[in-house]
Each structure stands twice: as structure tokens, then as C-alpha cells.
Amino acid sequence: MKLLISVDMEGISGIVHSSETNPERYDYQRGRELMTADANAVIAGVLDAEPTAEVLVADAHGTFRNLLPEQLDRRSRLVRGKPRALNMLAGLDEETDAALFVGYHVRAGEGPGVLAHTMNGEILDVRVAGRSLGEIGLNAAMAGHLGVPVVLLSGDDAACAELTDLVPETVTVAVKEALGMAAAVTLHPEEARDRLRRAAADAVARRAEIPPLALTGPLDVEVDLASPYTIDLATLVPGVSRAGGARTVTFTAPDYATAYRLILLLAQLAMIKPA
């Protein structure tokens, strides 16, 4: 059995503020330790259910260099660094039996949700076939395109609800109740890790009951961008054009994998500032 655990940071137990997720801020090291501990709890749960499983852990926050390699469960292998194929899902392929999303957050514009955003602060919304998707939905659909179900998600209550709306059968663990962008009622980290371990074991055991999220093409995609400069850059990409709204670009993709890669490209273009 092959399993991929994708670990973001905003939805990790105890984390509520960007000072804990930003490498340039004072509390980042503590955030890395919390992130690594949550990942270890999920690894342990996965291996409780499937002791011989191959476990890949994809560091999926910011620089993709946040998890502490020397503290990560040695029974797993770590995917870190960027750029890389499939971004937050690096290591995923058709041979993967299930994916688990740890420390994920709700999409931009939703909430209350701790540190809510979609990819970066420059992406205001992404709509695929008319449905608004954040990182949770975009990544779940990419996994689904490869036939892989997302069997577990942890984060705040809003993040859990976002995936449940897409795939009701998925196991979720709300490690905190969001009060706002930078406030939450949190579980004690040790309690959160106990719940994560039990839920991961249950999710892997029930993987056959959880369907992949499949979006079949062709797919119309709309992306709302914060910066007019990003829109100028985006329309240089073949097939991407301005839509009716001043902040919106649109394209049609033949399948979801193409749509996903183009959305990732637009997110990277959004980080470029005028010279």
C-alpha cells in the first residue's frame, strides 16, 4: 500500500497566527515543531492500520521546507522543496491508494477561518465548472483525477466543513474552532494528536468506502486575481483571457490535470511584482 500525507501549516493544532507560519516571524520555529508533531501523529495512525504501508509525506506549506526532517517519523519519507510536479501533492500518482490532508485551511473569502486564503493573498477565488474551490477542493480534485480518494482532513472546523461538502464520506478532525482570521478555540496539542492518530487509522481502514472527487472535462475555469498587473501577465498565457469582471481571467481545460497546472501557474504569476 502507498499513502501520501500532504501537510500544510495554517490548520495545525494550536496555530492561529502568521507569526507561527512565516519563516521571517519570531514564532515560526515553534510552528514547525507543532506541524511536525501533527504529521507524526497521522503517520503513526496510518501505520497502526497498515504496518507495511509506504508512507510519503509532502511538506505543503510556503517554501515546502517547514517540517523538521530529523524529528519526522523515520518510517516515512519526506518530499520537500520547490518547484516540483503537483505542488502540494508531490509524490502522488495512480499507484497511491489514499491521500491524507493535514493542517489544511479554508478557502479565501470563507469563514470565520484561521488564516483563510487560496494559495496566496493574490488569488481571491477559483471557480471550476462554476464551483468555488480553495486548496482543499483543488487538491482533492487533483487526487481524484488520478483515482485517489482523500480519506482524512485535519484543520479548523471551517476547513473540515469545506471538504465534507465535497466528499461527505471523508474522515475529518477539527483541531480548533475558528473565531476569526487569527483566533480560535484550540484543543491541547496532545489531545489533537491523539485524535489525529485514531482518525488516521480509521480513515485508512475505511478507504474503500470513500470515493475520489472526480471532475470530468472539459472544464471552464475562472480565477479572480487581486492585482491588475497579474491579470496582464495571465493573459500572456495561451488560452487565458479576461472575463467580464475586472479582476477575472478565464480558460477552458480539456481535463482537470490541465486545469490544475494552469491554476498553479497563475498563482505563481500572481507573486511577480512590477519591475
Side-chain angles (χ1 to χ4, degrees), residues 34-56:
L34 290 168
M35 182 185 186
T36 306
D38 275 14
N40 281 337
V42 174
I43 296 167
V46 163
L47 293 173
D48 288 343
E50 293 287 344
T52 62
E54 175 188 356
V55 180
L56 289 178

Side-chain angles (χ1 to χ4, degrees), residues 76-143:
S76 68
R77 291 187 296 146
L78 175 61
V79 185
R80 69 194 307 255
K82 66 193 313 185
R84 64 197 195 194
L86 294 188
N87 205 45
M88 295 174 73
L89 299 179
L92 188 80
D93 58 28
E94 295 89 343
E95 303 302 316
T96 305
D97 293 283
L100 301 90
F101 292 175
V102 179
Y104 270 57
H105 54 82
V106 75
R107 68 184 183 272
E110 290 297 306
V114 175
L115 298 170
H117 66 280
T118 299
M119 296 188 179
N120 55 52
E122 301 299 321
I123 304 291
L124 302 178
D125 192 22
V126 178
R127 294 177 297 282
V128 180
R131 184 162 198 170
S132 179
L133 299 176
E135 292 169 35
I136 291 170
L138 293 170
N139 287 326
M142 187 62 236

